[in-house]
Amino acid sequence: MINKKAILNLEGKDPIKLNVLSGTLGNDVIDIHLLSSQGLFTFDPGFNSTASCQSKITYINGEEGILLHRGFPIDQLARYSNYLEVCYILLYGEAPTQEQFDVFRVTVTRHTMIHEQITRLFHGFRRDSHPMAVMCGVTGALAAFYHDSLDVNIERHREIAAFRLLSKMPTLAAMCYKYSLGQPFVYPRNNLSYAGNFLYMMFSTPCEQYVINPILERAMDCILILHADHEQNASTSTVRTAGSSGANPFACIAAGIASLWGPAHGGANEACLRMLEEISSVKHIPEFIKRAKDKNDSFRLMGFGHRVYKNYDPRATVMREICHELLNKLNMKDNLLEVALELEHIALNDAYFIERKLYPNVDFYSGIILKAMGIPSCMFTVIFAMARTVGWIAHWKEMHNEIMKIARPRQLYIGYKKRFFKTNIKHQ
Ligand code: SDX
């Protein structure tokens, strides 16, 4: 919605009038898409001040620590909904009726099996491969099996691919874990919940019936909700960029998984647990805080800070509650929680972190919860990818429902001017 103008005054140029667009919430944006016709680009490495698209899916207010999915606050969804209902809301924009939810749930459940030949793909990897490397590979390879849903210009194809991805990610994720253990893959069960099915495929074995603990099932479902979507983060932007070329949905999600793996992004939960284990005791915290503040030390406090949140990440608040609740219900003690709580307390009272508005983010507590559930740290980002698949798909579908342009950023060129080439090589 255009309701204001911006005037760009540049020396030696006539003033340039730019439209200012307002959304329903958040900052206004200056529409610069025609600026290149005036011989100008804007410069914003990391896109700190750049809106790449318009979207109705998720809204974040970083200053106030607000996260809304289709307008619904994340803490209300975590408390009163479940992951599949949140998936429906993200994908279709409204809370489903009971009938709509039942149809959605059955459709997702009925697509959880994978093509049997995909199991042979796993056997091409080393057993000690990082599960994220395997997830990248097998997710992209889905395009080699599901040819009947690859034409991104056909809405029905997009819908089928969306369901296949949402349904099969838990199956593939659990297979990564089983493969790393040398244990047989476990088929999904249609009578289990989404989170319960994942735990079943992770921990069941042919020789012993795995009984799902409802406390773990609920905690896993909450973790999936808290990781479902987060507007234009690095991996979602990667999915949108890949999708803007018309790439098939499996390739786009594989690209998102690759981007999420980085320790500055989704890899932070695994890195955060390793950091807490390295700190190991409250008495070592000051040394690590000192390192985190030292510009000459590449060490950063994993699970702290965020490009957008300059306040508490609302997901971290819920995650911390789940952490306490789970450890109490399981009657578990974990000194890492004690280390994390003390680390949080010290950091939040330290001028360095206060000045830079660095708060715990979604990754700070999630590792402690997943470890308490018996999940190895190498699987943490795989679970993040599994949960975020619905967000990636929602943004990919939203992009396709609009007039789509290929993502092609420009640059500030600082290399050589034109010069003549003279080889130093004796070419054959
Ligand atoms: C996720 O985008 C999303 O929405 C992501 C995500 C999602 O759901 O998709 O929320 C998930 O990726 C959460 C973030 C997980 N990453 C980590 O926990 C890794 C540790 N955090 C940092 O790497 C960092 O905070 C980032 C990458 C998350 C954000 O970096 P920015 O916005 O680019 O900030 P910056 O690097 O410019 O830092 C600003 C200042 C710098 O100091 P000065 O140069 O101003 O002196 O804060 C410092 C940084 O050195 N700083 C930290 C720090 N994070 C920032 N110092 C110590 N420890 C940290 N964790």
Side-chain angles (χ1 to χ4, degrees):
M1 183 173 45
I2 303 171
N3 57 13
K4 299 170 199 154
K5 293 283 182 196
I7 308 290
L8 188 56
N9 289 308
L10 280 171
E11 282 175 32
K13 276 189 173 290
D14 294 337
I16 300 170
K17 268 191 187 171
L18 299 168
N19 290 328
V20 177
L21 313 179
S22 300
T24 43
L25 291 170
N27 295 358
D28 286 349
V29 298
I30 300 170
D31 183 350
I32 57 161
H33 79 282
L34 294 175
L35 209 49
S36 55
S37 60
Q38 307 275 343
L40 286 167
F41 298 149
T42 58
F43 186 64
D44 183 17
F47 310 118
N48 200 35
S49 302
T50 297
S52 60
C53 62
Q54 61 184 17
S55 178
K56 298 176 182 174
I57 299 170
T58 289
Y59 171 70
I60 299 171
N61 180 317
E63 294 305 322
E64 295 174 31
I66 292 171
L67 170 56
L68 307 177
H69 290 320
R70 302 288 189 177
F72 300 117
I74 188 64
D75 59 310
Q76 292 179 25
L77 293 173
R79 283 192 180 86
Y80 308 121
S81 183
N82 71 22
Y83 178 68
L84 271 191
E85 185 180 27
V86 171
C87 288
Y88 186 99
I89 290 167
L90 287 169
L91 290 169
Y92 302 109
E94 299 294 339
T97 62
Q98 183 64 54
E99 187 192 355
Q100 287 169 329
F101 179 71
D102 292 343
V103 169
F104 182 74
R105 183 176 47 77
V106 167
T107 308
V108 171
T109 302
R110 290 265 163 83
H111 284 78
T112 48
M113 280 181 73
I114 55 157
H115 191 295
E116 196 63 13
Q117 275 185 237
I118 291 177
T119 57
R120 294 189 203 161
L121 269 178
F122 278 82
H123 291 283
F125 294 101
R126 285 173 46 141
R127 291 278 178 177
D128 61 352
S129 308
H130 193 292
M132 279 298 277
V134 182
M135 275 304 272
C136 266
V138 294
T139 303
L142 291 176
F145 289 84
Y146 300 112
H147 306 109
D148 62 345
S149 62
L150 290 183
D151 185 339
V152 296
N153 298 309
I154 300 173
E155 205 283 329
R156 183 66 192 133
H157 281 209
R158 298 201 296 268
E159 193 71 359
I160 295 170
F163 272 111
R164 280 179 166 146
L165 281 158
L166 184 57
S167 305
K168 297 178 191 317
M169 290 302 269
T171 309
L172 295 174
M175 289 172 76
C176 289
Y177 177 60
K178 285 305 200 187
Y179 185 71
S180 72
L181 297 179
Q183 287 186 5
F185 298 133
V186 175
Y187 287 98
R189 291 265 302 276
N190 290 353
N191 64 331
L192 299 176
S193 72
Y194 194 90
N197 212 355
F198 174 64
L199 293 174
Y200 174 78
M201 293 187 283
M202 281 279 288
F203 297 120
S204 183
T205 62
C207 42
E208 193 171 317
Q209 185 63 14
Y210 175 71
V211 179
I212 297 168
N213 179 335
I215 297 170
L216 300 189
E217 185 177 16
R218 177 66 188 138
M220 178 54 73
D221 194 75
C222 275
I223 282 189
L224 297 178
I225 291 173
L226 294 173
H227 288 84
D229 188 51
H230 214 237
E231 65 155 72
Q232 308 309 323
N233 57 84
S235 53
T236 301
S237 300
T238 301
V239 171
R240 279 180 174 263
T241 298
S244 74
S245 72
N248 75 70
F250 306 110
C252 295
I253 299 304
I257 293 172
S259 170
L260 185 75
W261 194 5
H265 189 13
N269 51 18
E270 179 180 355
C272 183
L273 191 82
R274 280 208 307 271
M275 175 191 75
L276 293 173
E277 287 168 340
E278 193 184 349
I279 294 174
S280 73
S281 154
V282 168
K283 65 177 186 289
H284 299 145
I285 291 176
E287 168 206 334
F288 282 85
I289 293 273
K290 186 163 171 281
R291 282 188 58 196
K293 291 153 62 172
D294 179 357
K295 289 300 159 213
N296 300 316
D297 188 333
S298 61
F299 173 79
R300 284 197 163 177
L301 221 46
M302 302 316 283
F304 252 79
H306 198 277
R307 168 60 58 78
V308 176
Y309 288 123
K310 301 309 171 190
N311 197 323
Y312 227 96
D313 180 337
R315 301 168 297 176
T317 308
V318 180
M319 206 67 92
R320 184 174 54 184
E321 287 167 17
I322 297 171
C323 203
H324 278 295
E325 196 181 296
L326 186 70
L327 294 180
N328 289 341
K329 284 184 179 172
L330 297 179
N331 196 20
M332 284 177 82
K333 278 252 173 276
D334 188 337
N335 86 304
L336 295 184
L337 177 59
E338 189 192 342
V339 172
L341 290 168
E342 183 58 17
L343 180 60
E344 177 188 351
H345 174 72
I346 294 174
L348 295 186
N349 289 285
D350 182 296
Y352 174 93
F353 295 90
I354 294 168
E355 283 157 17
R356 292 166 179 79
K357 298 184 178 178
L358 302 175
Y359 291 86
N361 59 47
V362 67
D363 296 307
F364 191 62
Y365 287 102
S366 56
I368 300 172
I369 299 170
L370 293 172
K371 177 175 173 269
M373 298 170 83
I375 294 171
S377 61
C378 65
M379 281 294 294
F380 290 2
T381 312
V382 172
I383 289 167
F384 194 151
M386 184 173 92
R388 185 54 57 87
T389 293
V390 67
W392 290 333
I393 293 168
H395 284 274
W396 176 77
K397 289 178 78 174
E398 183 177 64
M399 179 179 68
H400 275 283
N401 290 335
E402 293 184 347
I403 298 166
M404 195 165 76
K405 289 177 76 63
I406 190 164
R408 196 338 187 157
R410 307 307 295 268
Q411 63 175 14
L412 173 67
Y413 177 71
I414 54 171
Y416 285 108
K417 291 183 179 175
K418 184 176 172 183
R419 57 179 177 156
F420 286 94
F421 174 66
K422 181 180 169 309
T423 184
N424 302 313
I425 310 297
K426 286 190 178 49
H427 293 290
Q428 306 301 332

